[in-house]
C-alpha cells in the first residue's frame, strides 16, 4: 500500500507528485554526496492544491509530504518514493514525523500570531528527515495580515523547506502567494471509486457504501461519515424533508428553526467531546486543584481558551449549516434532472417519491430560483448575517419558488 492509495480518482495528480518526489530525492542524494544536483527538476519549494470539497486536497498534500520523507531502501534501486511502509512514510501519514507540520484550524480564520510561529518553524533545518514540510490545510482561512506574513517565507524559503498549501480555489489565496506556488487542481472523485474505497479501507457493506457515495456525490469524508454515523444520516433525513414542509409560512419558519437546531447540536457535540477535556487539561497544566480555585495569574489564559472554544463553536455551527445547504442544493439538482428528463444518476434516489412530487408540482424555472435562494443564503452566512434570519429568508423563498 503506497502513500497514494487514499488519493481517490486523482491518477494525474499522483503521477505529478511522484515525479516531483523522485526529483526531490535525487536532489538531496546529490547534495549529500557532494555532486551537482540535476538541472532539470519537477520539484519546487511551494505547492498549492485546489479543488472542490471532498476532492482530497489535504490527502494529496499529506501523501506528498510522506513521499518526500520516504526512507525505503528500494529508492536506491530505482523505486518510487512513497512506499507507505517505511518509518518516514508511516510517521508522516499519522502526524508524528518531526519534520512534517500539518496545520488545520477549527476556527474561522488563521491569524498573524499563529502564522509567525509557522514561519519561524519553516526556517529550521530538518531534524531527522530529508525535508522540512509545512502542510497548511486551510490556506483560504488566512487573514490578510497572516497572508502577508506567509508571503515572505514563501518568497525566500529555507533550502530544505517545502510549503504545501490547500484551498478550495485560486481566488481563496492571495495573488502574491499563489503566483509563487506550483498549482495542482484536483477533481471530485467518481462515485464508484469512493464506494470502492469505503468497502476496501473502511469495511463498509457495498450497498451502504454505494448509497453514501451517491448521496454525497463523491465527497470521501462526508460519504464515510454518512455510512458510519447514525446521527449524520438522521440530520440528512431532516434536511431532505424541508422541501416538503415549506407549504405555508409556519412550515417555513419551523423548518428553518430545525436546521438551526441541528447545527447547534453539532456544535454542542463538539463541545462535549473536545471542550471539556481541553479545559480540564489546561487547568491541570496551570496547577489547579480539582474542585479548587484557579491559581493567580491564570485568568487571562483561561479567557483566551474560552474565546477560542467560542470561535470553534461558531465555525462548527456554520460548517454544519453549510453541509445542510449543500444537501438541499443536491435535492433540487435532482428535481431539475427529473424535470428535464436527464439520465444522470440521482444523488437522493432514496427519497425519489419526494423528488417526483416536487418535480410535478413546479417548473424548471422555479427549481432554479430555489437553488439561487440556497446560494443566496450561503452568501448571507458568509457575510455574518444572523443564521436564523438567513435560513428563514431561504425557506420562504423555497415556498415561493
Amino acid at each position: 500500500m503506497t502513500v497514494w492509495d487514499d488519493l481517490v480518482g486523482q491518477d494525474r495528480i499522483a503521477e505529478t507528485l511522484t515525479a516531483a518526489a523522485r526529483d526531490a530525492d535525487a536532489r538531496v542524494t546529490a547534495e549529500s554526496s557532494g555532486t551537482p544536483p540535476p538541472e532539470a527538476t519537477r520539484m519546487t519549494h511551494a505547492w498549492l492544491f485546489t479543488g472542490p470539497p471532498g476532492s482530497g486536497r489535504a490527502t494529496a498534500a499529506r501523501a506528498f509530504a510522506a513521499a518526500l520523507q520516504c526512507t525505503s531502501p528500494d529508492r536506491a534501486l530505482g523505486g518510487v518514493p512513497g512506499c507507505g511502509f517505511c518509518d518516514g512514510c508511516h510517521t508522516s501519514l499519522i502526524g508524528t514525523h518531526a519534520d512534517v507540520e500539518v496545520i488545520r484550524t477549527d476556527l474561522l480564520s488563521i491569524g498573524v500570531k499563529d502564522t509567525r510561529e509557522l514561519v519561524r518553524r519553516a526556517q529550521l533545518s530538518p531534524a531527522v528527515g530529508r525535508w522540512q514540510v509545512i502542510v497548511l490545510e486551510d490556506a483560504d482561512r488566512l487573514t490578510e495580515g497572516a497572508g502577508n506574513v506567509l508571503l515572505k517565507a514563501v518568497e525566500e524559503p529555507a533550502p530544505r523547506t517545502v510549503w504545501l498549501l490547500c484551498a478550495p480555489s485560486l481566488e481563496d489565496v492571495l495573488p502574491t502567494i499563489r503566483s509563487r506556488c506550483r498549482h495542482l487542481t484536483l477533481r471530485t472523485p467518481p462515485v464508484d471509486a469512493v464506494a470502492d474505497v469505503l468497502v476496501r479501507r473502511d469495511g463498509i457493506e457495498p450497498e451502504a457504501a454505494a448509497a453514501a457515495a451517491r448521496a454525497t456525490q463523491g465527497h470521501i469524508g462526508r460519504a464515510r461519515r454518512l455510512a458510519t454515523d447514525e446521527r449524520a444520516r438522521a440530520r440528512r433525513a431532516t434536511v431532505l424533508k424541508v422541501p416538503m414542509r415549506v407549504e405555508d409560512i409556519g412550515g417555513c419558519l419551523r423548518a428553518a428553526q430545525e436546521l438551526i437546531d441541528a447545527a447547534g447540536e453539532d456544535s454542542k457535540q463538539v463541545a462535549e467531546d473536545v471542550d471539556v477535556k481541553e479545559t480540564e487539561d489546561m487547568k491541570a497544566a496551570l496547577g489547579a486543584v480539582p474542585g479548587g480555585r484557579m491559581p493567580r495569574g491564570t485568568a487571562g489564559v483561561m479567557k483566551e481558551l474560552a474565546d477560542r472554544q467560542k470561535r470553534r463553536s461558531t465555525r462548527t455551527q456554520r460548517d454544519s449549516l453549510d453541509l445542510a445547504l449543500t444537501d438541499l442544493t443536491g435535492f433540487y439538482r435532482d428535481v431539475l434532472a427529473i424535470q428535464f428528463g436527464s439520465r444522470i444518476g440521482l444523488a437522493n434516489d432514496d427519497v425519489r417519491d419526494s423528488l417526483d412530487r416536487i418535480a410535478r408540482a413546479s417548473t424548471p424555472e422555479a427549481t432554479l430560483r430555489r437553488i439561487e435562494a440556497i446560494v443566496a443564503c450561503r452568501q448571507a452566512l458568509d457575510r455574518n448575517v444572523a443564521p436564523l434570519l438567513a435560513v428563514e429568508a431561504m425557506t420562504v423563498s423555497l415556498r415561493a419558488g
Side-chain angles (χ1 to χ4, degrees):
M1 179 177 177
T2 70
V3 298
W4 313 109
D5 286 355
D6 287 344
L7 196 57
V8 181
Q10 311 289 351
D11 293 341
R12 180 182 59 82
I13 299 296
E15 291 173 2
T16 299
L17 295 177
T18 297
R22 192 193 293 273
D23 287 354
D25 189 59
R27 180 191 299 181
V28 173
T29 301
E31 291 176 358
S32 300
S33 62
T35 58
E39 293 184 4
T41 179
R42 286 157 288 194
M43 180 60 187
T44 186
H45 70 281
W47 299 73
L48 176 59
F49 299 83
T50 65
S55 58
R57 302 184 301 261
T59 301
R62 289 194 299 267
F64 187 35
L68 292 174
Q69 305 291 13
C70 183
T71 57
S72 170
D74 293 341
R75 294 178 297 105
L77 303 176
V80 177
C83 65
F85 294 101
C86 70
D87 184 66
C89 288
H90 178 68
T91 55
S92 296
L93 292 176
I94 66 174
T96 59
H97 196 290
D99 295 316
V100 177
E101 183 78 6
V102 180
I103 307 300
R104 62 177 68 87
T105 183
D106 49 16
L107 305 179
L108 294 174
S109 63
I110 301 174
V112 171
K113 180 180 177 181
D114 292 334
T115 306
R116 282 177 177 160
E117 177 60 27
L118 195 59
V119 169
R120 186 200 64 79
R121 164 72 186 265
Q123 299 305 313
L124 302 176
S125 298
V128 296
R130 303 166 72 81
W131 296 88
Q132 178 80 247
V133 185
I134 311 292
V135 181
L136 185 56
E137 293 188 359
D138 300 296
D140 55 308
R141 295 188 183 272
L142 289 166
T143 64
E144 184 175 356
N148 291 328
V149 171
L150 180 64
L151 174 62
K152 187 68 174 178
V154 174
E155 281 181 326
E156 302 175 2
R160 289 285 185 86
T161 294
V162 180
W163 289 91
L164 307 180
L165 312 181
C166 305
S169 69
L170 283 174
E171 288 69 29
D172 292 311
V173 181
L174 286 176
T176 48
I177 292 180
R178 65 178 185 240
S179 65
R180 290 160 174 80
C181 299
R182 182 171 178 183
H183 179 218
L184 294 179
T185 303
L186 286 75
R187 65 188 183 101
T188 301
V191 171
D192 292 342
V194 173
D196 178 67
V197 169
L198 295 180
V199 172
R200 172 172 49 85
R201 187 178 58 192
D202 300 302
I204 297 170
E205 292 296 324
E207 185 175 345
R214 184 173 60 251
T216 57
Q217 290 296 288
H219 191 301
I220 302 173
R222 286 180 54 206
R224 183 184 296 111
R225 184 181 182 190
L226 193 62
T228 58
D229 188 345
E230 180 62 34
R231 288 175 298 187
R233 292 192 289 272
R235 281 191 288 271
R236 175 175 175 269
T238 298
V239 172
L240 296 184
K241 290 178 182 177
V242 168
M244 309 299 297
R245 301 187 58 194
V246 293
E247 297 179 350
D248 54 50
I249 294 298
C252 293
L253 300 182
R254 286 191 294 273
Q257 186 64 60
E258 287 185 4
L259 290 179
I260 296 297
D261 290 343
E265 282 298 315
D266 270 353
S267 177
K268 182 179 178 181
Q269 180 185 341
V270 171
E272 292 175 350
D273 295 344
V274 180
D275 289 2
V276 174
K277 184 179 184 304
E278 196 175 59
T279 301
E280 292 302 320
D281 289 345
M282 179 63 75
K283 288 181 177 179
L286 295 174
V289 178
R293 298 180 61 181
M294 293 294 297
R296 289 186 177 181
T298 61
V301 176
M302 296 305 298
K303 184 180 185 303
E304 183 178 346
L305 176 62
D307 290 342
R308 177 184 176 87
Q309 291 173 344
K310 183 177 180 180
R311 293 196 300 271
R312 179 166 60 204
S313 175
T314 301
R315 178 181 171 182
T316 301
Q317 185 177 27
R318 289 190 182 181
D319 286 350
S320 180
L321 263 180
D322 191 67
L323 177 57
L325 297 178
T326 299
D327 286 335
L328 202 54
T329 303
F331 180 94
Y332 285 111
R333 170 259 194 193
D334 286 348
V335 169
L336 197 62
I338 293 173
Q339 289 172 329
F340 281 122
S342 173
R343 295 183 179 181
I344 64 172
L346 300 180
N348 302 287
D349 197 49
D350 53 326
V351 291
R352 182 61 187 259
D353 290 345
S354 297
L355 294 173
D356 288 337
R357 179 178 169 183
I358 298 294
R360 290 194 301 268
S362 64
T363 64
E365 291 80 8
T367 303
L368 286 172
R369 285 194 294 270
R370 286 167 171 150
I371 293 175
E372 289 172 353
I374 300 172
V375 173
C377 180
R378 298 178 74 175
Q379 293 173 340
L381 292 172
D382 284 341
R383 295 193 297 269
N384 292 321
V385 173
L388 183 57
L389 292 178
V391 177
E392 284 178 345
M394 178 197 72
T395 54
V396 170
S397 295
L398 295 181
R399 174 178 178 268

